[in-house]
Amino acid sequence: MSGYADTLPKIKALHFKNADMQLLLADGRIIIVPLSKFPAIKKLSSSQRKKYHIMAGVGFDFDGSDEVYHISEFLGADNSLSALERKINPYHQPSQLSRVAEPAAAYKRRK
């Protein structure tokens, strides 16, 4: 199979340009989203946005915010399902990504 169907997206870095946020993925893809969709990130200053922490490649947070962001928020819940999960249950199956969301939120509460 070619393409990204069997690839679990992992965040490598974040960049901010104009009114957009770019998520650079480990497999070479770049996801560009308008900051208007994420008002809490938009409120952060430029220096606060530079102080981010990537969690297991699937989530991130900022020093200046209490929010934890998960990659599925940028891809959409259905897009985060792996090809294997779609074969097992094409109608609904928790994503590998969603399994990390709860531990990431718990990590943020402990921080």
Side-chain angles (χ1 to χ4, degrees):
M1 177 172 278
S2 63
Y4 295 100
D6 292 328
T7 304
L8 184 63
K10 294 236 179 206
I11 302 168
K12 181 178 175 181
L14 305 176
H15 292 289
F16 296 89
K17 188 174 183 179
N18 302 322
D20 294 330
M21 180 169 68
Q22 299 177 354
L23 279 75
L24 283 65
L25 303 185
D27 59 19
R29 290 181 283 178
I30 299 172
I31 300 169
I32 301 172
V33 296
L35 282 174
S36 61
K37 292 289 187 181
F38 299 91
I41 297 174
K42 186 176 181 177
K43 288 180 187 177
L44 296 173
S45 69
S46 177
S47 61
Q48 287 175 313
R49 290 181 194 157
K50 291 178 183 176
K51 296 177 183 175
Y52 64 85
H53 310 279
I54 297 174
M55 294 175 257
V58 296
F60 62 92
D61 67 354
F62 297 91
D63 282 349
S65 175
D66 291 334
E67 300 283 333
V68 174
Y69 299 91
H70 192 267
I71 194 166
S72 64
E73 295 175 66
F74 300 88
L75 296 172
D78 291 336
N79 292 325
S80 64
L81 295 174
S82 72
L84 177 60
E85 289 171 325
R86 285 190 294 269
K87 288 177 187 174
I88 294 170
N89 185 348
Y91 302 106
H92 185 56
Q93 176 78 14
S95 167
Q96 292 176 9
L97 298 174
S98 65
R99 292 184 198 120
V100 178
E102 179 56 34
Y107 163 82
K108 188 64 175 183
R109 285 191 296 270
R110 289 193 311 265
K111 204 171 154 186

